[in-house]
Amino acid sequence: MAVRTERTGRSSVWRNWAGNVAARPVRSVSPSSTQDLVEAVRGAAAEGLPVKAVGTGHSFSTAAATDGLLIRPDRLVGVREVDREAGTVTVAAGTPLKQLNETLSAHGLSLANMGDIMEQTVAGATSTGTHGTGRDSASISAQIAGLELVTADGSVLRCSAQEHPEVFAAARVGLGALGVVSAITFRVEPEFLLTAREEPMPFDRVLADFPQLAGENEHFEFYWFPHTGNCNTKRNNRSPGPAAPVGRVSGWVDDELLSNGVFQVACSVGRAVPAAIPGIARISSRALSARSYTDIPYKVFTSPRRVRFLEMEYALPREAAPDALRELKRTVDRSDLRVSFPVEVRTAPADDIPLSTASGRDTAYIAVHLYRGTPHRAYFTAAEQIMTAHGGRPHWGKLHSRDAAYLAGVYPRFGEFTALRDRLDPDRLFANDYLRRVLGD
C-alpha cells in the first residue's frame, strides 16, 4: 500500500495536546506498514528533509516538532502477534496504549506497570520514557522485549537483548534520535487484580514515612496540594480478589465531576483571579475522600485527564525526594507564586536503559503542573533550580531547560547513546532543535 500524504505546504500546522507546541512541516504522511515507513524515510532523505514521527502529542516538549517530514501514527496501528507461551505481544508503533490495554485484557493479559493516562501511542510513550509508579516494576520502556526500527539509510533493524543488543539497550528510550520505531514487542503477564487504597494524609507525615510507604507497597504515589499541608495518597497492591470496581455513580463523582469538571472550573477561576488560588487549594485538597477498590490493572493505574495543563517533571535519587519537596513547599510558601495544580510524586526502580530517567538508580519523580494559559515560567524555573541541585534528570517529554552539557553529567551512559546516534544517523536525518539542545550536534 502506498504511503498516504495527508498535507502539503507550510500552512498545515501540527499542535500538541497542551497547545504549547506547534510545527509547520513541509508535508506529513501516514504510513500503514513498515514498508510504507521505509519509503517515506528514504524519500525524505533523498530530498534532504529532516524526519520526525509524532504520537498523539502528549509531550509538552518540542521533541517531535519538525519543519521537514512529519510522520503521523494513525494508520500504523494494531496488534501483530500475541505469543502467550513467550509472554509477549507485538504491536505497531502508532497503537494507542488504550487499544493495547483493551486488547491485552481481551486475551487475559496485562503489562506489569503503566502510567496514569493511556492516550499516547506505544512508540511515543516509550521513546520519551513514560512511566507510572512502582517499587519493583519499572517504566513502560523497561517492559520492552524487542523493537523494529527504520534507520536513516532506510534499513529495517530488528533488535532485542539477543539481536543488535547495543541498539536495543538504547532505543527503548530513543527520543526519536536513532530512527523511527515501527513496532514494539512488550513482555506481558496473565492479567491480575490490583487493590487501590486512596486516602488523604498530611504533607509532613507523607515525607516522614516516604521510605516506608514506597517500600511496603508495590505502587505508591501521592499528590501534594500547594498552599496547603495536605496530600492525597494512593497505594496499589496485587490482590487475590474478588474484583470490586469503583461504583458507577461514585466513580463518576470522583473521577469526572470532581477531578475534571469541578477542577476545570476551579482552575479557570484561579487563572482569572490568582489571589483565590490558595483558598481553592484548601477546598480541593479536602474534596476527595478515602476510598478503596479492586480491578484489573489498567482500570486502576489510569484515569481520565480532561483538564489541560503544562508540566515539568524531574527524576531524583529516591532518597533526595523528601528534602526537595520540603524546599519546594518553602519556596511556594515564601513567594508570590500561585499554584493551582497538585504536585505529583511517584517512584521507579533502577533500570539499565542509558537515557531512562531511572537509569542506574532508584528514583523518585516530582512533577509540577500549571493550568494551560497560566504564566508558568517563574514556578517552573524555581522548581527546576531545586531539582537540578539534587542531580535531577528531566522527563524528555516535559518542559525543561537542560542541555547536553548538563545531561552528560547526570547520565553516566550519555556518551554511549550519542556514539550510537553517530553510527546510526551520522547526517542527522532525525534531528530537530530539541535534539540539538539535549544531545548536542
Side-chain angles (χ1 to χ4, degrees):
M1 184 180 295
V3 177
R4 187 177 75 192
T5 301
E6 291 193 325
R7 297 177 176 85
T8 59
R10 296 291 181 134
S11 60
S12 298
V13 180
W14 173 86
R15 297 186 187 278
N16 68 339
W17 175 81
N20 68 305
V21 176
R24 291 176 171 81
V26 169
R27 67 174 181 271
S28 62
V29 298
S30 296
S32 62
S33 67
T34 299
Q35 186 55 42
D36 285 352
L37 185 54
V38 167
E39 292 174 12
V41 169
R42 286 177 176 169
E47 294 180 60
L49 291 177
V51 176
K52 296 306 295 181
V54 295
T56 52
H58 271 265
S59 286
F60 304 89
S61 72
T62 55
T66 186
D67 58 2
L69 177 68
L70 189 74
I71 296 174
R72 294 177 177 266
D74 48 295
R75 297 173 73 213
L76 196 62
V77 298
V79 174
R80 293 188 178 181
E81 181 184 20
V82 176
D83 188 334
R84 300 185 69 91
E85 185 175 342
T88 61
V89 60
T90 301
V91 293
T95 306
L97 288 169
K98 185 178 193 307
Q99 182 181 342
L100 171 62
N101 286 331
E102 290 174 348
T103 301
L104 287 175
S105 184
H107 284 84
L109 299 169
S110 178
L111 295 169
N113 199 357
M114 60 194 76
D116 57 7
I117 62 172
M118 54 180 180
E119 275 67 42
Q120 312 103 309
T121 63
V122 294
T126 56
S127 293
T128 54
T130 294
H131 61 90
T133 188
R135 179 189 62 202
D136 309 306
S137 54
S139 70
I140 301 176
S141 302
Q143 297 170 68
I144 293 176
L147 282 167
E148 184 180 85
L149 193 69
V150 177
T151 58
D153 63 0
S155 300
V156 178
L157 189 65
R158 295 176 179 85
C159 55
S160 66
Q162 293 75 39
E163 187 177 13
H164 302 293
E166 77 289 353
V167 178
F168 174 71
R172 288 172 290 170
V173 179
L175 314 185
L178 305 178
V180 180
V181 176
S182 51
I184 299 176
T185 299
F186 291 101
R187 289 187 298 274
V188 294
E189 59 181 286
E191 191 172 66
F192 52 93
L193 292 172
L194 284 172
T195 292
R197 177 182 169 193
E198 301 174 6
E199 65 176 322
M201 192 177 292
F203 179 86
D204 290 337
R205 180 186 165 195
V206 175
L207 296 195
D209 294 347
F210 181 67
Q212 181 179 353
L213 289 166
E216 290 183 349
N217 294 282
E218 293 175 80
H219 310 274
F220 174 72
E221 62 186 308
F222 70 92
Y223 295 84
W224 163 58
F225 294 80
H227 310 293
T228 80
N230 303 324
C231 296
N232 197 47
T233 65
K234 184 175 182 180
R235 285 170 265 196
N236 299 331
N237 291 285
R238 296 201 184 202
S239 168
V246 174
R248 291 182 65 180
V249 173
S250 61
W252 180 83
V253 169
D254 284 346
D255 298 327
E256 289 292 349
L257 178 62
L258 294 178
S259 295
N260 286 294
V262 173
F263 189 50
Q264 172 80 58
V265 173
C267 287
S268 297
V269 171
R271 183 173 63 186
V273 188
I277 287 176
I280 292 172
R282 287 190 287 273
I283 296 170
S284 299
S285 68
R286 296 186 176 96
L288 296 174
S289 58
R291 65 175 180 172
S292 182
Y293 53 95
T294 301
D295 212 332
I296 59 176
Y298 83 86
K299 294 185 178 182
V300 173
F301 285 129
T302 68
S303 55
R305 291 283 185 270
R306 309 196 199 287
V307 180
R308 303 206 180 199
F309 53 85
L310 296 180
E311 181 176 0
M312 170 186 285
E313 181 181 74
Y314 266 81
L316 275 60
R318 189 174 300 178
E319 64 276 9
D323 284 345
L325 283 161
R326 291 185 184 100
E327 292 171 38
L328 183 61
K329 187 175 188 299
R330 285 195 296 269
T331 296
V332 172
D333 289 346
R334 295 173 180 175
S335 71
D336 294 328
L337 295 170
R338 294 294 178 262
V339 182
S340 56
F341 254 80
V343 173
E344 183 180 22
V345 182
R346 295 176 286 177
T347 68
D351 63 42
D352 63 351
I353 305 171
L355 291 191
S356 164
T357 47
S359 183
R361 71 187 189 193
D362 290 341
T363 294
Y365 295 97
I366 299 176
V368 298
H369 315 67
L370 277 177
Y371 183 50
R372 185 175 66 174
T374 304
H376 67 277
R377 192 172 302 277
Y379 176 44
F380 282 17
T381 298
E384 190 171 44
Q385 289 173 346
I386 293 168
M387 304 308 157
T388 55
H390 290 279
R393 300 167 176 168
H395 189 299
W396 300 108
K398 300 178 184 180
L399 295 176
H400 68 93
S401 69
R402 299 299 89 188
D403 60 15
Y406 173 87
L407 294 164
V410 295
Y411 282 98
R413 299 173 67 184
F414 189 84
E416 177 184 329
F417 186 95
T418 56
L420 182 63
R421 182 192 186 207
D422 289 341
R423 176 161 70 86
L424 293 180
D425 188 17
D427 298 324
R428 301 297 189 257
L429 179 69
F430 303 116
N432 63 1
D433 288 343
Y434 180 79
L435 291 184
R436 281 185 279 274
R437 172 163 68 90
V438 300
L439 296 179
D441 205 22

